[in-house]
PDB file of all heavy atoms in Angstrom:
ATOM      1  N   LYS A  35     120.649   0.501 154.786  1.00  0.00           N
ATOM      2  CA  LYS A  35     120.525   0.563 153.217  1.00  0.00           C
ATOM      3  C   LYS A  35     119.240   1.099 152.702  1.00  0.00           C
ATOM      4  O   LYS A  35     119.066   1.726 151.803  1.00  0.00           O
ATOM      5  CB  LYS A  35     120.853  -0.785 152.644  1.00  0.00           C
ATOM      6  CG  LYS A  35     122.332  -0.935 152.191  1.00  0.00           C
ATOM      7  CD  LYS A  35     122.561  -2.010 151.184  1.00  0.00           C
ATOM      8  CE  LYS A  35     123.974  -2.482 151.163  1.00  0.00           C
ATOM      9  NZ  LYS A  35     124.059  -3.949 151.426  1.00  0.00           N
ATOM     10  N   LYS A  36     118.130   0.554 153.537  1.00  0.00           N
ATOM     11  CA  LYS A  36     116.739   0.988 153.157  1.00  0.00           C
ATOM     12  C   LYS A  36     116.236   1.952 154.177  1.00  0.00           C
ATOM     13  O   LYS A  36     115.001   2.062 154.193  1.00  0.00           O
ATOM     14  CB  LYS A  36     115.879  -0.285 153.016  1.00  0.00           C
ATOM     15  CG  LYS A  36     116.311  -1.154 151.938  1.00  0.00           C
ATOM     16  CD  LYS A  36     115.438  -2.437 151.888  1.00  0.00           C
ATOM     17  CE  LYS A  36     115.849  -3.249 150.684  1.00  0.00           C
ATOM     18  NZ  LYS A  36     115.662  -4.759 151.013  1.00  0.00           N
ATOM     19  N   GLY A  37     117.146   2.577 154.892  1.00  0.00           N
ATOM     20  CA  GLY A  37     116.688   3.560 155.931  1.00  0.00           C
ATOM     21  C   GLY A  37     116.098   4.755 155.430  1.00  0.00           C
ATOM     22  O   GLY A  37     116.371   5.137 154.233  1.00  0.00           O
ATOM     23  N   ARG A  38     115.540   5.567 156.303  1.00  0.00           N
ATOM     24  CA  ARG A  38     114.802   6.770 155.878  1.00  0.00           C
ATOM     25  C   ARG A  38     115.790   7.834 155.445  1.00  0.00           C
ATOM     26  O   ARG A  38     115.514   8.553 154.622  1.00  0.00           O
ATOM     27  CB  ARG A  38     113.979   7.237 157.073  1.00  0.00           C
ATOM     28  CG  ARG A  38     112.776   6.318 157.345  1.00  0.00           C
ATOM     29  CD  ARG A  38     112.084   6.510 158.626  1.00  0.00           C
ATOM     30  NE  ARG A  38     111.522   7.913 158.702  1.00  0.00           N
ATOM     31  CZ  ARG A  38     110.896   8.389 159.857  1.00  0.00           C
ATOM     32  NH1 ARG A  38     110.882   7.596 160.857  1.00  0.00           N
ATOM     33  NH2 ARG A  38     110.545   9.665 159.788  1.00  0.00           N
ATOM     34  N   ILE A  39     116.872   8.003 156.144  1.00  0.00           N
ATOM     35  CA  ILE A  39     117.851   8.927 155.679  1.00  0.00           C
ATOM     36  C   ILE A  39     118.367   8.687 154.256  1.00  0.00           C
ATOM     37  O   ILE A  39     118.521   9.488 153.447  1.00  0.00           O
ATOM     38  CB  ILE A  39     118.894   9.430 156.704  1.00  0.00           C
ATOM     39  CG1 ILE A  39     118.323   9.912 158.038  1.00  0.00           C
ATOM     40  CG2 ILE A  39     119.949  10.242 156.200  1.00  0.00           C
ATOM     41  CD1 ILE A  39     119.225  10.092 159.194  1.00  0.00           C
ATOM     42  N   THR A  40     118.769   7.344 154.223  1.00  0.00           N
ATOM     43  CA  THR A  40     119.309   6.861 152.868  1.00  0.00           C
ATOM     44  C   THR A  40     118.295   7.110 151.728  1.00  0.00           C
ATOM     45  O   THR A  40     118.617   7.497 150.646  1.00  0.00           O
ATOM     46  CB  THR A  40     119.576   5.376 153.006  1.00  0.00           C
ATOM     47  OG1 THR A  40     120.088   5.094 154.379  1.00  0.00           O
ATOM     48  CG2 THR A  40     120.559   4.949 151.939  1.00  0.00           C
ATOM     49  N   ALA A  41     116.959   6.835 152.140  1.00  0.00           N
ATOM     50  CA  ALA A  41     115.884   7.098 151.070  1.00  0.00           C
ATOM     51  C   ALA A  41     115.816   8.488 150.650  1.00  0.00           C
ATOM     52  O   ALA A  41     115.714   8.800 149.521  1.00  0.00           O
ATOM     53  CB  ALA A  41     114.573   6.536 151.660  1.00  0.00           C
ATOM     54  N   GLU A  42     115.895   9.416 151.631  1.00  0.00           N
ATOM     55  CA  GLU A  42     115.896  10.789 151.318  1.00  0.00           C
ATOM     56  C   GLU A  42     117.013  11.182 150.442  1.00  0.00           C
ATOM     57  O   GLU A  42     116.902  11.996 149.495  1.00  0.00           O
ATOM     58  CB  GLU A  42     115.954  11.645 152.618  1.00  0.00           C
ATOM     59  CG  GLU A  42     114.710  11.522 153.484  1.00  0.00           C
ATOM     60  CD  GLU A  42     113.429  11.994 152.890  1.00  0.00           C
ATOM     61  OE1 GLU A  42     113.406  12.661 151.765  1.00  0.00           O
ATOM     62  OE2 GLU A  42     112.285  11.760 153.491  1.00  0.00           O
ATOM     63  N   MET A  43     118.191  10.694 150.803  1.00  0.00           N
ATOM     64  CA  MET A  43     119.409  10.907 149.957  1.00  0.00           C
ATOM     65  C   MET A  43     119.143  10.559 148.484  1.00  0.00           C
ATOM     66  O   MET A  43     119.551  11.261 147.527  1.00  0.00           O
ATOM     67  CB  MET A  43     120.683  10.049 150.406  1.00  0.00           C
ATOM     68  CG  MET A  43     121.202  10.385 151.806  1.00  0.00           C
ATOM     69  SD  MET A  43     122.307  11.863 151.771  1.00  0.00           S
ATOM     70  CE  MET A  43     123.069  11.752 153.381  1.00  0.00           C
ATOM     71  N   LYS A  44     118.490   9.371 148.324  1.00  0.00           N
ATOM     72  CA  LYS A  44     118.230   8.979 146.862  1.00  0.00           C
ATOM     73  C   LYS A  44     117.387   9.913 146.145  1.00  0.00           C
ATOM     74  O   LYS A  44     117.479   9.954 144.908  1.00  0.00           O
ATOM     75  CB  LYS A  44     117.649   7.554 147.001  1.00  0.00           C
ATOM     76  CG  LYS A  44     118.615   6.389 147.362  1.00  0.00           C
ATOM     77  CD  LYS A  44     118.014   5.017 147.313  1.00  0.00           C
ATOM     78  CE  LYS A  44     118.987   4.027 147.777  1.00  0.00           C
ATOM     79  NZ  LYS A  44     118.211   2.868 148.362  1.00  0.00           N
ATOM     80  N   GLN A  45     116.527  10.665 146.797  1.00  0.00           N
ATOM     81  CA  GLN A  45     115.622  11.525 146.218  1.00  0.00           C
ATOM     82  C   GLN A  45     116.347  12.853 145.640  1.00  0.00           C
ATOM     83  O   GLN A  45     115.919  13.491 144.660  1.00  0.00           O
ATOM     84  CB  GLN A  45     114.597  12.169 147.175  1.00  0.00           C
ATOM     85  CG  GLN A  45     113.818  11.055 147.943  1.00  0.00           C
ATOM     86  CD  GLN A  45     112.616  10.499 147.236  1.00  0.00           C
ATOM     87  OE1 GLN A  45     112.044  11.284 146.345  1.00  0.00           O
ATOM     88  NE2 GLN A  45     112.285   9.273 147.383  1.00  0.00           N
ATOM     89  N   LEU A  46     117.667  12.999 146.189  1.00  0.00           N
ATOM     90  CA  LEU A  46     118.316  14.273 145.777  1.00  0.00           C
ATOM     91  C   LEU A  46     118.479  14.470 144.237  1.00  0.00           C
ATOM     92  O   LEU A  46     118.583  15.562 143.839  1.00  0.00           O
ATOM     93  CB  LEU A  46     119.665  14.380 146.447  1.00  0.00           C
ATOM     94  CG  LEU A  46     119.587  14.502 148.012  1.00  0.00           C
ATOM     95  CD1 LEU A  46     120.880  14.421 148.673  1.00  0.00           C
ATOM     96  CD2 LEU A  46     118.774  15.594 148.414  1.00  0.00           C
ATOM     97  N   GLY A  47     118.628  13.346 143.562  1.00  0.00           N
ATOM     98  CA  GLY A  47     118.858  13.401 142.094  1.00  0.00           C
ATOM     99  C   GLY A  47     117.918  14.089 141.381  1.00  0.00           C
ATOM    100  O   GLY A  47     118.222  14.756 140.345  1.00  0.00           O
ATOM    101  N   GLY A  48     116.803  14.185 141.931  1.00  0.00           N
ATOM    102  CA  GLY A  48     115.706  14.962 141.121  1.00  0.00           C
ATOM    103  C   GLY A  48     115.651  16.380 141.251  1.00  0.00           C
ATOM    104  O   GLY A  48     114.904  17.142 140.627  1.00  0.00           O
ATOM    105  N   LEU A  49     116.440  16.929 142.077  1.00  0.00           N
ATOM    106  CA  LEU A  49     116.458  18.344 142.349  1.00  0.00           C
ATOM    107  C   LEU A  49     117.474  19.001 141.531  1.00  0.00           C
ATOM    108  O   LEU A  49     118.393  18.495 140.934  1.00  0.00           O
ATOM    109  CB  LEU A  49     116.937  18.639 143.823  1.00  0.00           C
ATOM    110  CG  LEU A  49     116.034  18.023 144.938  1.00  0.00           C
ATOM    111  CD1 LEU A  49     116.603  18.229 146.314  1.00  0.00           C
ATOM    112  CD2 LEU A  49     114.626  18.476 144.872  1.00  0.00           C
ATOM    113  N   ASP A  50     117.296  20.471 141.417  1.00  0.00           N
ATOM    114  CA  ASP A  50     118.197  21.225 140.548  1.00  0.00           C
ATOM    115  C   ASP A  50     119.364  21.467 141.351  1.00  0.00           C
ATOM    116  O   ASP A  50     119.363  21.387 142.621  1.00  0.00           O
ATOM    117  CB  ASP A  50     117.465  22.472 139.997  1.00  0.00           C
ATOM    118  CG  ASP A  50     117.125  23.391 141.108  1.00  0.00           C
ATOM    119  OD1 ASP A  50     117.770  23.683 141.955  1.00  0.00           O
ATOM    120  OD2 ASP A  50     115.929  23.859 141.044  1.00  0.00           O
ATOM    121  N   PRO A  51     120.608  21.694 140.811  1.00  0.00           N
ATOM    122  CA  PRO A  51     121.895  21.655 141.459  1.00  0.00           C
ATOM    123  C   PRO A  51     121.934  22.509 142.775  1.00  0.00           C
ATOM    124  O   PRO A  51     122.473  21.972 143.763  1.00  0.00           O
ATOM    125  CB  PRO A  51     122.788  22.256 140.446  1.00  0.00           C
ATOM    126  CG  PRO A  51     122.300  21.986 139.126  1.00  0.00           C
ATOM    127  CD  PRO A  51     120.708  22.011 139.377  1.00  0.00           C
ATOM    128  N   ASP A  52     121.445  23.709 142.800  1.00  0.00           N
ATOM    129  CA  ASP A  52     121.572  24.585 144.002  1.00  0.00           C
ATOM    130  C   ASP A  52     120.639  23.807 145.160  1.00  0.00           C
ATOM    131  O   ASP A  52     121.262  23.686 146.251  1.00  0.00           O
ATOM    132  CB  ASP A  52     120.972  25.888 143.748  1.00  0.00           C
ATOM    133  CG  ASP A  52     122.035  26.745 143.135  1.00  0.00           C
ATOM    134  OD1 ASP A  52     123.204  26.184 142.992  1.00  0.00           O
ATOM    135  OD2 ASP A  52     121.730  27.914 142.683  1.00  0.00           O
ATOM    136  N   ALA A  53     119.412  23.440 144.795  1.00  0.00           N
ATOM    137  CA  ALA A  53     118.653  22.860 145.881  1.00  0.00           C
ATOM    138  C   ALA A  53     119.218  21.547 146.350  1.00  0.00           C
ATOM    139  O   ALA A  53     119.277  21.171 147.470  1.00  0.00           O
ATOM    140  CB  ALA A  53     117.222  22.658 145.366  1.00  0.00           C
ATOM    141  N   ARG A  54     119.812  20.778 145.350  1.00  0.00           N
ATOM    142  CA  ARG A  54     120.373  19.496 145.668  1.00  0.00           C
ATOM    143  C   ARG A  54     121.508  19.743 146.668  1.00  0.00           C
ATOM    144  O   ARG A  54     121.607  18.991 147.752  1.00  0.00           O
ATOM    145  CB  ARG A  54     120.932  18.975 144.417  1.00  0.00           C
ATOM    146  CG  ARG A  54     121.322  17.390 144.672  1.00  0.00           C
ATOM    147  CD  ARG A  54     122.178  16.896 143.554  1.00  0.00           C
ATOM    148  NE  ARG A  54     121.510  17.121 142.161  1.00  0.00           N
ATOM    149  CZ  ARG A  54     122.242  17.013 141.041  1.00  0.00           C
ATOM    150  NH1 ARG A  54     123.505  16.981 141.015  1.00  0.00           N
ATOM    151  NH2 ARG A  54     121.542  17.180 139.985  1.00  0.00           N
ATOM    152  N   ARG A  55     122.408  20.659 146.386  1.00  0.00           N
ATOM    153  CA  ARG A  55     123.601  20.903 147.291  1.00  0.00           C
ATOM    154  C   ARG A  55     123.033  21.257 148.773  1.00  0.00           C
ATOM    155  O   ARG A  55     123.500  20.683 149.728  1.00  0.00           O
ATOM    156  CB  ARG A  55     124.458  21.988 146.840  1.00  0.00           C
ATOM    157  CG  ARG A  55     125.847  22.141 147.671  1.00  0.00           C
ATOM    158  CD  ARG A  55     126.830  23.095 147.131  1.00  0.00           C
ATOM    159  NE  ARG A  55     126.584  23.540 145.770  1.00  0.00           N
ATOM    160  CZ  ARG A  55     126.117  24.679 145.371  1.00  0.00           C
ATOM    161  NH1 ARG A  55     125.790  25.570 146.280  1.00  0.00           N
ATOM    162  NH2 ARG A  55     126.136  25.028 143.967  1.00  0.00           N
ATOM    163  N   GLU A  56     122.040  22.093 148.841  1.00  0.00           N
ATOM    164  CA  GLU A  56     121.516  22.599 150.071  1.00  0.00           C
ATOM    165  C   GLU A  56     120.925  21.444 150.916  1.00  0.00           C
ATOM    166  O   GLU A  56     121.349  21.226 152.024  1.00  0.00           O
ATOM    167  CB  GLU A  56     120.452  23.723 149.833  1.00  0.00           C
ATOM    168  CG  GLU A  56     120.462  24.550 151.074  1.00  0.00           C
ATOM    169  CD  GLU A  56     119.388  25.709 150.734  1.00  0.00           C
ATOM    170  OE1 GLU A  56     119.539  26.322 149.708  1.00  0.00           O
ATOM    171  OE2 GLU A  56     118.502  25.888 151.596  1.00  0.00           O
ATOM    172  N   ALA A  57     120.071  20.671 150.200  1.00  0.00           N
ATOM    173  CA  ALA A  57     119.396  19.575 150.785  1.00  0.00           C
ATOM    174  C   ALA A  57     120.402  18.428 151.243  1.00  0.00           C
ATOM    175  O   ALA A  57     120.282  17.827 152.215  1.00  0.00           O
ATOM    176  CB  ALA A  57     118.268  18.990 149.938  1.00  0.00           C
ATOM    177  N   GLY A  58     121.401  18.218 150.275  1.00  0.00           N
ATOM    178  CA  GLY A  58     122.352  17.177 150.684  1.00  0.00           C
ATOM    179  C   GLY A  58     123.279  17.542 151.811  1.00  0.00           C
ATOM    180  O   GLY A  58     123.348  16.710 152.774  1.00  0.00           O
ATOM    181  N   GLN A  59     123.583  18.811 151.961  1.00  0.00           N
ATOM    182  CA  GLN A  59     124.218  19.186 153.204  1.00  0.00           C
ATOM    183  C   GLN A  59     123.434  19.033 154.488  1.00  0.00           C
ATOM    184  O   GLN A  59     123.944  18.580 155.537  1.00  0.00           O
ATOM    185  CB  GLN A  59     124.756  20.770 153.151  1.00  0.00           C
ATOM    186  CG  GLN A  59     126.036  20.912 152.301  1.00  0.00           C
ATOM    187  CD  GLN A  59     126.351  22.349 151.958  1.00  0.00           C
ATOM    188  OE1 GLN A  59     125.622  23.227 152.411  1.00  0.00           O
ATOM    189  NE2 GLN A  59     127.464  22.548 151.302  1.00  0.00           N
TER     190      GLN A  59
END
Side-chain angles (χ1 to χ4, degrees):
K35 265 200 202 125
K36 294 183 182 145
R38 289 167 62 188
I39 296 177
T40 323
E42 295 295 354
M43 293 275 198
K44 284 182 188 153
Q45 307 274 331
L46 294 177
L49 299 178
D50 60 52
D52 277 352
R54 189 193 307 156
R55 189 176 338 107
E56 206 177 310
Q59 277 170 359

